[in-house]
DNA sequence: ATGCCGCCAGTTTGGCGA
């Protein structure tokens, strides 16, 4: 299908920190922002228990992929949803200390929406530098790179959005001195983002709304949101054709306010097509 | 006031998030 309609397409990403806990806010936000495509992360529920009815009532088709707990991703689209692909090429799993077998986790789902190939990704956290989860994070990002390389076609706009759990630069955290020896800011993690750019993707940086910063995540603890102690870790990577036609990109920090928010804000880009 | 952690599975407390 070519583009479903001419004009602007709005594509967004949001780590909702439990889609079931966030149903009222998700429905509210879809009505306010009216994205054509929304990538979700951290569903914390299963594919079957995703709130399909509530979202479909607003005109969205859903490709959900989750097994519960600390994973789960989805693509919502009101401009068509085709060729759904769950998981990455040669995707590694994670082996907890108390488990015998490594288990693959639902952290990536792709679909074609109105002629744009869209992936929603939830990159592993990493926990601590040197931890097995950190090595898993780096290996998972290699699989993401390989999947992107396989999927890129000259004639197809492509974008991957989600919670990358990496701050691209020192400016993307409130104070780099507080991150000495921590995950999310290390050179090996940032090199994996560079590998995506080397494939031809570009970071589409959003504008902030209240402050010069464009953070997308603020820890629930310590009043971090109110002090603007945040991080930009939810990223939008797009092919040059798309990135060149972005008319606006922003962090909807209003969605981080109020009762029972996610700890992440939605990130939005408008693309002229 | 945006207003000081929340979610899930289940040892209804503890692990995880980042």
């Amino acid at each position: 299908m070519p583009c479903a309609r001419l004009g602007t397409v709005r594509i967004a990403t949001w780590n909702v920190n439990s889609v079931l806990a966030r149903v009222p806010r998700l429905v509210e936000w879809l009505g306010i922002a009216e994205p054509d495509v929304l990538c979700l992360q951290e569903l914390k529920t299963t594919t079957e228990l995703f709130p399909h009815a509530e979202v479909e009532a607003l005109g969205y088709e859903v490709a959900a992929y989750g097994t519960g707990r600390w994973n789960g991703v989805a693509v919502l689209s009101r401009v068509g949803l085709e060729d759904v692909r769950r998981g990455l090429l040669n995707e590694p799993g994670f082996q907890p200390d108390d488990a015998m077998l490594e288990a693959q986790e639902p952290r990536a789902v792709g679909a074609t929406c109105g002629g744009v190939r869209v992936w929603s990704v939830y990159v592993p956290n990493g926990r601590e530098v040197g931890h097995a989860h950190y090595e898993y994070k780096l290996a998972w990002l290699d699989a993401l790179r390989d999947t992107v390389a396989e999927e890129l076609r000259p004639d197809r706009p492509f974008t991957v959005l989600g919670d990358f759990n990496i701050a691209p630069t020192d400016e993307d955290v409130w104070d780099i001195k507080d991150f000495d020896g921590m995950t999310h800011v290390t050179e090996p993690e940032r090199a994996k983002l560079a590998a995506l750019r080397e494939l031809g993707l570009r970071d589409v940086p959003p504008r902030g709304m209240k402050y010069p910063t464009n953070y997308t995540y603020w820890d629930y603890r310590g009043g971090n949101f109110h002090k603007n102690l945040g991080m930009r870790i939810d990223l939008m990577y797009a092919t040059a054709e798309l990135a060149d036609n972005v008319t606006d990109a922003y962090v909807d920090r209003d969605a981080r306010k109020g009762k029972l928010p996610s700890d992440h804000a939605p990130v939005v880009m408008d693309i002229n097509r």
Side-chain angles (χ1 to χ4, degrees), chain A residues 8-68:
Chain A
T8 298
V9 60
R10 171 167 284 183
I11 303 177
T13 182
W14 193 9
N15 178 324
V16 286
N17 186 18
S18 172
V19 72
L20 294 178
R22 220 64 63 207
V23 164
R25 297 194 64 127
L26 173 62
V27 167
E28 177 187 35
W29 191 78
L30 285 170
I32 293 171
E34 298 193 322
D36 297 298
V37 181
L38 175 60
C39 297
L40 298 176
Q41 299 88 36
E42 231 179 314
L43 300 182
K44 288 188 171 179
T45 191
T46 63
T47 303
E48 293 71 25
L49 292 177
F50 184 94
H52 287 92
E54 291 87 339
V55 169
E56 287 166 3
L58 300 173
Y60 291 90
E61 295 176 86
V62 178
Y65 181 35
T67 56

